[in-house]
Amino acid sequence: LSVAELFLLQVIFDHEGIFLHPTPDEGSPDQDLLVSGSLRIIEKDSSSVVEWAQCPGEKSQSRQLLETQQSYETEWDMVNAVSFKKKNYTNGESDHERSRWAFSVNISDLKSITVKEEGWTFLILQLKDSSSSVPALHFHQGGSREFLDSLRRFALLTESPEDETRLLVSTPNKALSQSFENLLDDNNFGLIHKFKRDPYVATLGGFSKVTNYIYDALRGTEEQQQRPPEEVADLLGEVIPGLEINQQEEPGFEVITRIDLGTRPQVSRAEPVSADDWSKHQDPEGRIENEAALRQRIFKGGLCHAVRREAWKFLLGYYPWTSTLEERKSLQKTKTDEYFRMKLQWKSISEEQERRNSRLRDYKSLIEKDVNRTDRTNRFYEGRNNPGLTLLHDILMTYCMYDFDLGYVQGMSDLLSPILFVMENEVDAFWCFVSFMDQMHQNFEEQMQGMKTQLIQLSTLLRLLDLAFWNYLESQESGYLYFCFRWLLIRFKRELIFSDVLRLWEVMWTELPCQNFHLLVCCAILDSEKQKIMEENYGFNEILKHINELSMKLNIEEILQKAEGIYLQIRSCKVGVRFSPPRCEPGHHGNVTPTQLHLFTEAVSTNYQFCTEMRDTSY
């Protein structure tokens, strides 16, 4: 490689002591031969590769000798990225011997990775091209977990439904990438390249930049998408007790769902809960009385701003609903001590210590960037040297100490900002934020499992509610509603004006009329836009552009009315499910009770299983 080429490379993962176990049919005369080498993940321009090469000067050794060493998996965190250093070959084995077992694989060519254990971890990489293969990688001295974590920066790894030891690899689609490059301009560098590096910052910076990644992640492979009809029948039978499904022997039968939604009821909103209303729900010792009725009032009308500072602490679980005023004072004192102990942990780190802690440096850098661009038009955060910005920064840094595994991910500042605005207190804002993050944690985890699940739930829900609209979106390659990614990631924070965000969040925190009410909010917005989308015959990019342009133009009261109406409509509808071969007469039908229809707002795991428990609500 030339010096110029070296500067274009970035080594994301580098680990020596990764062994191959060549077999006689792979050219090894010794069935117990072990070959030690270095495994790397290297990024160059827009491509990324996994490569293994025998370590210079390393001699092959027998398996018996190696197995006398203790096998272990290191618990150290790997350095996210290291500067590329060209290694000089030393005297010893020839170039031919060193390159004998070497291989390099583009990550986009990977189909799956099987993780096996034999006293140590070894990985079997399967390529999309079945005519090619690479040897298994044996991690006798640890590093397998760090390797997979690094690989997740470039691909989505999902567990195969057929084999829990097998991870299916999905990477962004290049053809779709180009359509997004053209949709929104970015003067720095390619949007898709940006998204591959960090899906959160790319998504928050531009609405449609996320789509191709989520598209591939949800589409997955052929084996993920197909499910035998009899298995679907079993799943539906578990969720809907008493539902009769006619399972016939002939091949080619499919599940057909018939929904009679009926008329959507008219819904009215109420006035916000006032300070007097709130105080009437407290006994002389400060306990909240008739919690269920109070939650219902908040769901129907929200809270006046004067009440929010106290009420949000209950809604978020910081204060127990049954606690007295004295118990809350004691709790606040304990939590204050705990907060400042954690804050002292990062405040007392010296510059020298920080230089040796790359993860903390990365968290700090991201937080500083995000704080300087979060809600700067809001009076609480506007202007230079604003104390609100300092509090925002300090709370996010302290959260890194509270949950160092997650640390800070871009988008979390959007969730904290309204809470701090309402609390106007560092400690209270922190613990309320902790409670909110407990709900939102999966949205920000590296594998994005929470986001993937919600998008599939939302797609399934829309399909049940409005099959014609869903079919139209599907025909435009938009059936998985990946353009709703930002809505779900930060709970509509970038779609609504600030005061409407406060109203929506407090309504959702009541957990009425169901825990996944935010999915019905999505359906309400899409229901309002479907006529324009379909009449104008919007295509893939036009749909994304239109949804993006809804930001700051939505009326929260109208959305909440419609979302509640949709819930009531679902609750009272009738559903028929049957198995029928194509072009044949309908089979047997079975109806479900209204309360069982609650499943549609809770429904569907990542591989399309209806898996929620049926439950009544007091709504």
Side-chain angles (χ1 to χ4, degrees):
L1 293 175
S2 67
V3 174
E5 288 175 316
L6 292 178
F7 276 109
L8 292 174
L9 292 176
Q10 185 180 27
V11 180
I12 306 302
F13 175 84
D14 189 356
H15 201 296
E16 294 184 357
I18 309 301
F19 289 81
L20 306 185
H21 294 188
T23 58
D25 59 349
E26 292 174 332
S28 170
D30 183 358
Q31 64 177 356
D32 287 330
L33 181 69
L34 298 180
V35 184
S36 175
S38 175
L39 181 66
R40 288 178 171 178
I41 298 178
I42 296 178
E43 184 178 20
K44 180 181 179 182
D45 296 329
S46 59
S47 65
S48 48
V49 298
V50 175
E51 66 174 31
W52 182 95
Q54 190 171 354
C55 295
E58 283 284 342
K59 298 292 185 180
S60 302
Q61 53 185 301
S62 69
R63 187 175 310 196
Q64 289 86 348
L65 176 61
L66 184 71
E67 288 181 346
T68 61
Q69 304 171 6
Q70 181 181 4
S71 295
Y72 68 97
E73 283 287 347
T74 179
E75 294 296 328
W76 294 352
D77 288 301
M78 115 188 152
V79 177
N80 288 331
V82 297
S83 58
F84 183 87
K85 295 180 180 178
K86 186 177 181 181
K87 293 188 175 182
N88 296 318
Y89 288 123
T90 58
N91 295 330
E93 295 177 299
S94 65
D95 287 347
H96 172 72
E97 285 296 316
R98 282 191 297 271
S99 62
R100 183 179 181 184
W101 312 107
F103 67 84
S104 179
V105 176
N106 197 305
I107 292 176
S108 63
D109 293 330
L110 289 175
K111 180 180 181 181
S112 67
I113 300 173
T114 302
V115 183
K116 297 286 188 180
E117 298 285 344
E118 285 189 4
W120 66 88
T121 301
F122 67 94
L123 306 180
I124 302 171
L125 278 59
Q126 183 181 1
L127 304 179
K128 294 176 181 176
D129 180 2
S130 58
S131 64
S132 302
S133 63
V134 295
L137 300 170
H138 294 259
F139 293 76
H140 289 280
Q141 299 175 350
S144 62
R145 187 179 64 180
E146 290 83 354
F147 171 72
L148 293 174
D149 286 344
S150 300
L151 198 61
R152 288 186 176 99
R153 294 183 58 177
F154 307 98
L156 185 72
L157 307 182
T158 55
E159 185 179 302
S160 169
E162 287 79 24
D163 182 359
E164 63 180 12
T165 67
R166 187 178 178 210
L167 300 174
L168 303 174
V169 182
S170 301
T171 52
N173 179 287
K174 292 182 179 178
L176 285 174
S177 298
Q178 187 59 44
S179 70
F180 290 103
E181 293 283 359
N182 297 333
L183 185 58
L184 293 175
D185 293 327
D186 191 307
N187 296 325
N188 296 323
F189 51 89
L191 302 180
I192 302 306
H193 179 73
K194 206 173 188 181
F195 179 78
K196 286 167 64 180
R197 285 180 172 275
D198 192 326
Y200 297 100
V201 66
T203 302
L204 297 170
F207 188 85
S208 59
K209 302 172 190 177
V210 72
T211 304
N212 68 310
Y213 186 91
I214 297 300
Y215 180 88
D216 279 358
L218 295 178
R219 289 284 181 183
T221 61
E222 288 293 324
E223 59 189 279
Q224 287 175 289
Q225 295 178 44
Q226 298 175 359
R227 185 173 296 281
E230 62 274 11
E231 185 176 343
V232 178
D234 291 340
L235 291 169
L236 289 172
E238 290 175 6
V239 173
I240 310 176
L243 179 65
E244 297 181 35
I245 299 177
N246 180 24
Q247 300 182 54
Q248 305 185 33
E249 299 285 338
E250 293 81 3
F253 281 57
E254 60 182 356
V255 175
I256 299 176
T257 304
R258 176 182 57 79
I259 303 180
D260 179 14
L261 287 175
T263 304
R264 184 177 301 165
Q266 293 295 317
V267 174
S268 60
R269 299 282 297 160
E271 291 295 317
V273 175
S274 66
D276 287 340
D277 293 333
W278 179 261
S279 62
K280 289 176 183 177
H281 279 82
Q282 296 186 32
D283 70 12
E285 293 184 330
R287 295 184 187 86
I288 299 297
E289 296 181 318
N290 203 347
E291 174 195 339
L294 185 55
R295 283 182 182 269
Q296 177 67 21
R297 283 290 312 279
I298 297 170
F299 172 75
K300 292 296 291 184
L303 297 159
C304 70
H305 191 70
V307 176
R308 283 186 173 129
R309 187 180 304 176
E310 183 176 3
W312 279 23
K313 297 171 188 176
F314 289 92
L315 289 170
L316 285 166
Y318 175 35
Y319 284 170
W321 289 90
T322 57
S323 62
T324 65
L325 182 59
E326 290 302 316
E327 288 170 342
R328 294 195 289 272
K329 288 180 179 178
S330 177
L331 174 67
Q332 193 169 33
K333 184 179 184 302
T334 301
K335 291 296 187 181
T336 298
D337 293 341
E338 188 177 349
Y339 173 78
F340 283 106
R341 278 197 300 271
M342 289 186 290
K343 183 174 181 178
L344 184 62
Q345 290 174 359
W346 65 267
K347 292 283 278 186
S348 61
I349 291 177
S350 67
E351 291 184 5
E352 184 178 353
Q353 286 177 300
E354 191 174 305
R355 283 198 296 269
R356 295 192 295 269
N357 193 330
S358 61
R359 290 184 69 187
L360 186 62
R361 287 200 312 272
D362 289 344
Y363 292 155
K364 185 177 180 180
S365 175
L366 287 173
I367 289 170
E368 288 173 351
K369 289 177 182 177
D370 275 11
V371 164
N372 286 325
R373 57 192 179 194
T374 299
D375 292 325
R376 295 308 303 274
T377 58
N378 186 294
R379 61 174 178 81
F380 195 79
Y381 301 108
E382 66 184 359
R384 293 184 179 181
N385 301 318
N386 189 309
L389 297 178
T390 303
L391 292 177
L392 199 65
H393 171 274
D394 289 359
I395 293 171
L396 292 171
M397 283 297 298
T398 306
Y399 186 81
C400 292
M401 300 293 104
Y402 174 83
D403 188 349
F404 203 83
D405 286 342
L406 179 63
Y408 178 79
V409 180
Q410 281 155 320
M412 287 165 57
S413 63
D414 278 287
L415 300 185
L416 172 59
S417 171
I419 294 175
L420 179 58
F421 171 81
V422 168
M423 295 298 152
E424 296 183 317
N425 176 278
E426 182 176 3
V427 174
D428 291 344
F430 173 81
W431 290 111
C432 287
F433 176 65
V434 166
S435 297
F436 195 18
M437 281 303 301
D438 287 344
Q439 302 174 26
M440 305 292 289
H441 201 282
Q442 279 198 322
N443 282 15
F444 295 93
E445 292 171 0
E446 190 171 9
Q447 297 184 47
M448 302 164 68
Q449 189 60 53
M451 291 304 305
K452 182 179 176 183
T453 299
Q454 289 174 88
L455 285 166
I456 294 178
Q457 288 175 338
L458 179 57
S459 178
T460 304
L461 180 59
L462 184 65
R463 185 177 184 179
L464 292 166
L465 289 170
D466 196 332
L467 185 58
F469 184 39
W470 185 90
N471 282 335
Y472 177 83
L473 294 175
E474 180 71 7
S475 71
Q476 304 301 324
E477 296 187 309
S478 300
Y480 283 105
L481 310 180
Y482 25 73
F483 47 80
C484 298
F485 186 93
R486 191 173 70 185
W487 296 3
L488 300 171
L489 177 67
I490 52 175
R491 288 295 190 270
F492 308 93
K493 171 62 167 53
R494 298 284 183 94
E495 320 314 316
L496 303 169
I497 62 173
F498 199 83
S499 59
D500 283 356
V501 171
L502 307 183
R503 176 56 43 81
L504 175 63
W505 285 9
E506 62 201 14
V507 167
M508 291 193 300
W509 290 337
T510 65
E511 298 184 347
L512 292 175
C514 54
Q515 289 185 344
N516 279 344
F517 185 65
H518 65 286
L519 298 182
L520 295 178
V521 171
C522 293
C523 290
I525 297 172
L526 294 173
D527 183 73
S528 298
E529 302 303 320
K530 69 176 181 180
Q531 184 175 353
K532 184 174 182 64
I533 290 172
M534 296 176 74
E535 286 183 353
E536 298 290 334
N537 198 28
Y538 282 168
F540 187 71
N541 285 351
E542 289 84 1
I543 293 172
L544 293 168
K545 188 172 185 292
H546 177 71
I547 295 297
N548 188 37
E549 291 173 349
L550 294 177
S551 180
M552 302 302 157
K553 299 176 183 176
L554 300 170
N555 184 306
I556 189 57
E557 293 299 327
E558 292 179 1
I559 292 170
L560 289 173
Q561 277 183 313
K562 181 168 287 190
E564 185 182 354
I566 291 173
Y567 172 80
L568 294 172
Q569 190 177 21
I570 292 174
R571 195 180 67 170
S572 61
C573 78
K574 294 184 178 181
V575 176
V577 182
R578 61 183 171 85
F579 274 89
S580 174
R583 306 182 186 88
C584 289
E585 291 301 314
H588 186 75
H589 288 260
N591 290 331
V592 298
T593 66
T595 54
Q596 290 169 335
L597 292 169
H598 182 72
L599 73 96
F600 293 130
T601 56
E602 310 291 333
V604 192
S605 68
T606 54
N607 51 11
Y608 300 95
Q609 294 177 337
F610 285 77
C611 64
T612 187
E613 294 182 359
M614 311 307 302
R615 65 180 179 85
D616 292 315
T617 69
S618 59
Y619 176 80

